[in-house]
Amino acid sequence: IQFDLYPYNFNDPSTPSADYLIWKIDESAGDGANGKGFDIGFNNPGLFFRYSPGPDAPTTIVVQIDQEDLPLNSFSHISFVTSESHLLAYVNGNLVSSEALPSYYFEMDFGISDIYIGKPLYPASGYIAPAQAQIDNLQIWNRGLNSVEVNEFMTCNPGPNEIGLVGFWNFENGNGNAVFDVTENDNNGIVNGATWSNETPEQSCVFCESSDAISITFTSSGCTDSYACNFDAEAACDDGSCDYSCCPGPGCCHEGTLWDSDLQQCVVA
C-alpha cells in the first residue's frame, strides 16, 4: 500500500491509543484481537501499519515509522510493502523500518470488509478516532513492490493497468461525495464529512510517446588530407580512403610544400 501523506499532528491525547488513517478490519467475529485485516494510524511514536490475523493467530504484526522520520505539515510518500520475509516501511523512497513476518502470515485470513480512509464509520471500533492529516494518491497492490518501484511511483503515479494494482484513488476526479478508483476494478468510494484540498504533492513524470520526434545528425566521412588526390573539404571524419596516385601532381606535395603549376613540381611554401 502506498500514499502521499500530509500529517498535521500525531496521536490526539483525547482519543484512544491510535488515530486511524486507513481501516480495513473485518470485525464480524468481534473487535480487538478478534478482528481480521489491516489498519494504518497515528500513535504516540509516529505512524504504524498493523496486520490483525484474528483470534486463531498468536499476535498482530506491526511496523512503525517514528516521528523523526515523518515531518509534519508537508507531504511525504509512504509505502508499506510485504516482502517474502518482512513487512517494510518506506518514507520518501527510503527504508526506515522493517518487521520480520511470522510463519503463519502466509496462511492468514484477512476477512471481508470495506476500506475506510480518514477514520472508520460506526459500528467499527475505531470510529471515534479520526486521523489529523491529508491523504492523496492511495494505491493498494496485491503484490510486493521492490525498492525501484517504490521510488518510481513516488515521483510518478502508476498507470491504471499496472500489474498487481487493485485500487488507486488519486482524488483528482472526484465529484461531490464520490471518489473514483482509476483502475478498471471500479472500487469507487463515498465521501463522508471530508473536504477536498488544493494542496498536492509534487509529481515528475517523463514519457516518450510513439509520436515523439527524434533528431538524428549524420556526419559525412571521406578523405580529410588536403594533399591527397581525393581530398574532400566537406568530410568531417577521415575514413582512410585518401589516394595519392595522382603523382606527380598536387597529391605529391606534403606539409610545408605546394604544387607549382609552372615548374610542375612541389616547391617549398
Side-chain angles (χ1 to χ4, degrees):
I1 185 168
Q2 295 197 117
F3 51 90
D4 294 302
L5 181 66
Y6 191 111
Y8 301 126
N9 210 334
F10 295 102
N11 178 226
D12 184 347
S14 66
T15 65
S17 59
D19 296 342
Y20 296 104
L21 178 68
I22 298 174
W23 175 281
K24 188 191 182 304
I25 296 182
D26 180 352
E27 295 185 313
S28 59
D31 59 10
N34 295 309
K36 298 179 180 181
F38 72 87
D39 59 347
I40 300 173
F42 295 98
N43 53 13
N44 290 329
L47 182 73
F48 68 86
F49 180 102
R50 173 173 55 192
Y51 278 127
S52 298
D56 298 327
T59 184
T60 58
I61 308 166
V62 183
V63 67
Q64 181 79 43
I65 296 176
D66 293 332
Q67 289 189 18
E68 55 264 30
D69 293 318
L70 183 60
L72 297 176
N73 302 311
S74 64
F75 272 109
S76 295
H77 185 75
I78 307 298
S79 304
F80 293 109
V81 178
T82 302
S83 71
E84 294 183 355
S85 59
H86 285 76
L87 177 57
L88 310 172
Y90 293 84
V91 178
N92 295 327
N94 299 310
L95 180 64
V96 297
S97 183
S98 66
E99 185 70 23
L101 292 174
S103 58
Y104 61 79
Y105 165 77
F106 297 98
E107 299 177 359
M108 284 172 54
D109 173 13
F110 292 102
I112 299 175
S113 63
D114 292 330
I115 299 174
Y116 296 101
I117 304 170
K119 75 166 187 176
L121 293 179
Y122 181 84
S125 59
Y127 77 96
I128 63 172
Q132 302 177 65
Q134 295 181 37
I135 189 171
D136 201 0
N137 299 316
L138 173 61
Q139 310 156 27
I140 296 181
W141 300 75
N142 65 6
R143 64 177 180 88
L145 302 179
N146 59 43
S147 60
V148 174
E149 292 173 313
V150 167
N151 280 272
E152 177 184 352
F153 298 139
M154 173 180 67
T155 56
C156 185
N157 284 326
N161 298 316
E162 290 283 348
I163 296 174
L165 184 63
V166 296
F168 177 24
W169 301 268
N170 60 12
F171 303 105
E172 293 178 1
N173 54 353
N175 183 12
N177 291 331
V179 59
F180 299 114
D181 175 12
V182 300
T183 74
E184 296 179 351
N185 298 316
D186 294 329
N187 293 305
N188 301 323
I190 300 174
V191 178
N192 290 283
T195 57
W196 298 95
S197 171
N198 291 325
E199 292 184 272
T200 58
E202 292 185 5
Q203 293 278 295
S204 178
C205 298
V206 178
F207 300 106
C208 184
E209 303 292 343
S210 59
S211 60
D212 285 349
I214 299 176
S215 177
I216 301 175
T217 301
F218 294 96
T219 301
S220 61
S221 60
C223 177
T224 59
D225 186 351
S226 60
Y227 297 102
C229 308
N230 60 335
F231 168 65
D232 184 355
E234 300 295 325
C237 300
D238 194 293
D239 62 0
S241 65
C242 291
D243 176 21
Y244 300 94
S245 62
C246 56
C247 294
C252 300
C253 298
H254 298 291
E255 186 174 358
T257 66
L258 52 80
W259 181 254
D260 188 317
S261 59
D262 296 328
L263 298 176
Q264 290 291 299
Q265 66 181 24
C266 297
V267 297
V268 178

